[in-house]
């Protein structure tokens, strides 16, 4: 951990999730079976940048140092991805959902920026980007054995991070708000919004989970 979980660890969240963190597999394939160029470019950007975010996150978790390197990398990613999706909405299947997610996340990131001691919370939330990277990697890497491993890792990490860990963080952040309330003497402190934002991002994760589960049934109906 970073600042030590034992201390009155403040709270931060981050998206969580990247532009393709959902069950959103990007634009539709052409008749030739190839993805449109705007989707391919978007995937390459995410594959490279999210890999770096995961490295920066693990570095911060491991050492408790270089928080602002991690923070600025994350903010640059979300702003850049938000702009790309806004300008080229056909690069993803659900652009409005992605844009809402990124706006919530960017606002959420302002908490650790002003209160760096809450960086461990941001780091925990950003662990979900492992799943995002696996999502993109499994549709980009075409080696059969590797693809099967990525597919398995993707679904396992989806359940563990999005369906179990993210809801758990709601309670963690609620307790941190209670601690901050005792310290500051007022419930009207910045940590109060963190359980609310976490609920919103968790809701998006379950929306994407439902979309993922419903996919096979939709195919059967066609």
């Amino acid at each position: 951990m970073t600042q030590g979980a034992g201390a009155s660890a403040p709270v931060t969240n981050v998206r969580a999730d990247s532009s393709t963190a959902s069950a959103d597999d990007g634009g539709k394939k052409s008749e030739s079976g190839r993805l449109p160029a705007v989707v391919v470019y978007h995937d390459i950007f995410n594959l490279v940048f999210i890999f770096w975010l995961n490295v920066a996150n693990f570095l911060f978790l491991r050492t408790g140092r270089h928080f602002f390197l991690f923070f600025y990398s994350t903010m640059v990613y979300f702003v850049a991805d938000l702009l790309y999706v806004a300008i080229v909405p056909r690069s993803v299947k659900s652009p409005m959902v992605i844009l809402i997610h990124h706006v919530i996340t960017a606002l959420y990131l302002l908490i650790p920026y002003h209160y760096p001691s809450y960086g461990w919370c941001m780091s925990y939330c950003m662990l979900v980007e492992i799943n995002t990277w696996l999502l993109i990697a499994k549709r980009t890497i075409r080696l059969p054995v590797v693809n099967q491993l990525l597919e398995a890792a993707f679904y396992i990490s989806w359940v563990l991070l999005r369906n179990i860990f993210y809801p758990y963080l709601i309670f963690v952040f609620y307790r941190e708000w209670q601690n901050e309330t005792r310290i500051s003497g007022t419930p009207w402190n910045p940590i109060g919004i963190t359980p609310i934002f976490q609920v919103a991002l968790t809701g998006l994760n379950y929306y994407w989970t439902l979309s993922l589960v419903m996919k096979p049934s939709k195919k059967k109906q066609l």
Side-chain angles (χ1 to χ4, degrees):
M1 289 181 56
T2 60
Q3 252 77 338
S8 168
V11 99
T12 296
N13 171 44
V14 168
R15 139 160 252 220
D17 294 276
S18 85
S19 69
T20 46
S22 68
D24 191 339
D25 286 338
K28 294 181 179 179
K29 292 184 178 180
S30 64
E31 293 181 2
S32 64
R34 295 180 179 178
L35 290 169
V38 293
V39 177
V40 175
Y41 297 150
H42 191 225
D43 278 356
I44 293 172
F45 167 77
N46 279 288
L47 205 59
V48 174
F49 215 125
I50 294 174
F51 180 82
W52 162 246
L53 291 184
N54 286 329
V55 170
N57 192 4
F58 280 115
L59 177 65
F60 176 60
L61 276 174
R62 176 72 176 172
T63 67
R65 301 168 57 192
H66 309 297
F67 169 71
F68 281 103
L69 172 65
F70 174 43
F71 170 82
Y72 284 117
S73 297
T74 303
M75 184 62 86
V76 166
Y77 167 75
F78 280 111
V79 172
D81 199 59
L82 186 151
L83 290 174
Y84 186 86
V85 173
I87 295 170
V88 193
R90 65 194 183 94
S91 61
V92 296
K93 285 183 180 178
S94 308
M96 188 53 65
V97 175
I98 298 300
L99 292 174
I100 291 172
H101 171 274
H102 282 15
V103 169
I104 292 174
T105 299
L107 292 174
Y108 212 172
L109 282 169
L110 295 177
I111 295 176
Y113 175 77
H114 291 287
Y115 303 93
S117 57
Y118 300 171
W120 66 273
C121 301
M122 170 181 167
S123 182
Y124 279 8
C125 289
M126 282 298 291
L127 288 173
V128 79
E129 295 308 322
I130 297 171
N131 177 257
T132 301
W133 188 88
L134 289 169
L135 168 64
I136 301 164
K138 79 182 180 69
R139 71 165 180 248
T140 303
I141 300 173
R142 297 301 182 183
L143 298 174
V145 176
V146 175
N147 187 264
Q148 289 176 2
L149 292 174
L150 290 171
E151 186 92 13
F154 165 71
Y155 285 109
I156 292 171
S157 63
W158 182 289
V159 173
L160 292 178
L161 293 172
R162 296 184 185 278
N163 299 146
I164 298 176
F165 190 57
Y166 251 52
Y168 166 72
L169 288 179
I170 296 173
F171 298 100
V172 172
F173 294 172
Y174 176 74
R175 293 297 299 272
E176 291 303 325
W177 169 67
Q178 289 182 315
N179 289 337
E180 188 66 21
T181 296
R182 283 192 290 268
I183 294 170
S184 64
T186 175
W188 303 105
N189 58 74
I191 308 308
I193 66 172
T194 58
I196 299 171
F197 274 44
Q198 191 64 22
V199 166
L201 292 175
T202 299
L204 277 175
N205 281 333
Y206 276 96
Y207 166 77
W208 287 327
T209 299
L210 183 61
S211 300
L212 198 64
V213 171
M214 294 300 290
K215 255 186 176 180
S217 61
K218 286 181 180 178
K219 289 180 180 177
K220 291 178 183 176
Q221 293 173 3
L222 294 178

